[in-house]
Amino acid sequence: MKCNGMRKEKTKNGRKIDVRCNAELDEHALFCKVCGQPTGALSGPLSAKINYEEVWGKFKPIKSQYYSFSIFIVLTSFLLIGLGIFFSIDLAESFKIDHYLFTNLMLLFLVPFTLIPFGFEENFTDEPFKIAMYLKALKSYPTFFLLVLVNILYFLILKIFCTGYILGITVDPILHPVRFILVLYWITITFPAVLLITRKKMNPIKAVISCYKASAETRWQQFFIMLRLFVMNIIGIAFVGLGLLITIPFSYILIEKYYQSLDEFELFE
């Protein structure tokens, strides 16, 4: 495939004129190496909007087939996390543990259960989720536990440096919005890590590093993916939680689909 971009070229008299690039493009290039023109990948196969619409188009007609699994995972995982956070202050006081540390300790053990579907066999989006699939994939819990631990440690370091937590010092208030931005950035670039762990057998730290490198050009598309999922699940909760029967399995499928798109462009190599 040839690049249709324009580049500057010197004529014999030294003038620079615009000429068509026509450089040969790699199959999975995001930009032309000669003129820097985008290839269309970010507005096509790697577009958040296009991936969202494709997944929803396939998911919508069969969404009812996911209800039993959704009820199962809501009751066994998400509800426990919600109740734990709701009662965390009272529980932390009962155990005489700092509220922040108690909450994160609780999340360390509970959040990996919500990641278990990413341990399903590759291309798990080809068939509706079954409870048996979840039980079989529980063997991935220890690895997801380590991934959650890496995330908690990162957020703890941010809290210490941006709020003075534990250190007992006053910090510049500007660090609070900095912390918020860094949290969003971390979530945006690292969400494919959970699939790198199961698909490519990477350890959590290597997976996070690979995600950072891979997201150099796709981070905004990844941000829009996570933003759409966040809004969808908030709406799902607003409908007395019943909307989660649809939004939760859809979230797993969309993340898997976008990971496949990233992997197809060899961004994790």
Side-chain angles (χ1 to χ4, degrees):
M1 184 170 62
K2 300 288 186 179
C3 175
N4 291 320
M6 305 298 291
R7 60 183 177 83
K8 297 289 185 180
E9 186 175 279
K10 278 188 176 182
T11 62
K12 293 181 178 180
N13 58 15
R15 285 195 316 115
K16 289 185 177 181
I17 59 173
D18 291 325
V19 296
R20 190 169 298 280
C21 180
N22 279 329
E24 192 69 32
L25 294 173
D26 294 336
E27 182 181 0
H28 296 126
L30 301 184
F31 296 91
C32 174
K33 294 180 179 179
V34 177
C35 68
Q37 177 78 9
T39 63
L42 294 175
S43 58
L46 295 177
S47 164
K49 180 180 179 181
I50 289 177
N51 277 268
Y52 178 92
E53 291 174 347
E54 286 182 358
V55 171
W56 179 249
K58 294 180 180 179
F59 176 78
K60 185 178 179 180
I62 59 172
K63 61 182 183 298
S64 60
Q65 298 181 35
Y66 290 84
Y67 288 165
S68 59
F69 172 83
S70 298
I71 293 171
F72 170 79
I73 198 169
V74 166
L75 294 178
T76 59
S77 302
F78 289 97
L79 182 60
L80 289 179
I81 292 174
L83 291 173
I85 293 175
F86 184 79
F87 293 108
S88 60
I89 296 178
D90 293 334
L91 290 171
E93 290 179 353
S94 299
F95 290 103
K96 301 186 184 305
I97 301 176
D98 176 82
H99 176 237
Y100 179 82
L101 293 179
F102 176 84
T103 301
N104 279 274
L105 184 62
M106 174 191 66
L107 294 176
L108 176 60
F109 287 94
L110 294 180
V111 170
F113 287 110
T114 69
L115 303 180
I116 295 299
F118 293 116
F120 294 169
E121 294 181 3
E122 195 166 357
N123 296 321
F124 65 77
T125 59
D126 291 343
E127 59 177 310
F129 301 164
K130 304 295 182 185
I131 296 175
M133 295 168 62
Y134 182 92
L135 297 177
K136 180 181 179 182
L138 276 172
K139 61 185 179 182
S140 302
Y141 178 92
T143 309
F144 293 146
F145 179 92
L146 293 177
L147 177 62
V148 174
L149 178 60
V150 169
N151 281 269
I152 286 176
L153 291 176
Y154 171 79
F155 294 138
L156 175 60
I157 292 171
L158 278 185
K159 185 174 178 65
I160 291 173
F161 282 98
C162 295
T163 70
Y165 175 69
I166 294 179
L167 301 178
I169 60 175
T170 302
V171 299
D172 193 318
I174 192 63
L175 291 177
H176 293 290
V178 169
R179 179 189 175 203
F180 176 72
I181 293 171
L182 289 176
V183 167
L184 291 181
Y185 182 73
W186 178 267
I187 295 172
T188 294
I189 67 171
T190 62
F191 77 76
V194 67
L195 285 156
L196 286 176
I197 288 172
T198 56
R199 300 289 184 265
K200 298 185 181 295
K201 309 303 179 185
M202 293 185 183
N203 65 63
I205 294 178
K206 184 177 180 180
V208 167
I209 293 173
S210 294
C211 285
Y212 175 78
K213 294 178 179 178
S215 65
E217 303 297 343
T218 61
R219 56 187 177 275
W220 279 110
Q221 299 302 324
Q222 293 177 212
F223 172 76
F224 292 132
I225 288 281
M226 300 311 291
L227 180 61
R228 284 173 179 266
L229 292 179
F230 175 76
V231 172
M232 278 191 69
N233 282 284
I234 290 297
I235 294 173
I237 293 172
F239 283 94
V240 201
L242 295 178
L244 294 177
L245 300 183
I246 297 173
T247 61
I248 286 179
F250 179 80
S251 298
Y252 289 122
I253 295 171
L254 181 56
I255 289 174
E256 160 77 1
K257 172 63 170 62
Y258 199 75
Y259 160 79
Q260 291 175 349
S261 297
L262 293 171
D263 192 41
E264 183 180 338
F265 276 78
E266 303 175 346
L267 296 178
F268 299 116
E269 301 299 329

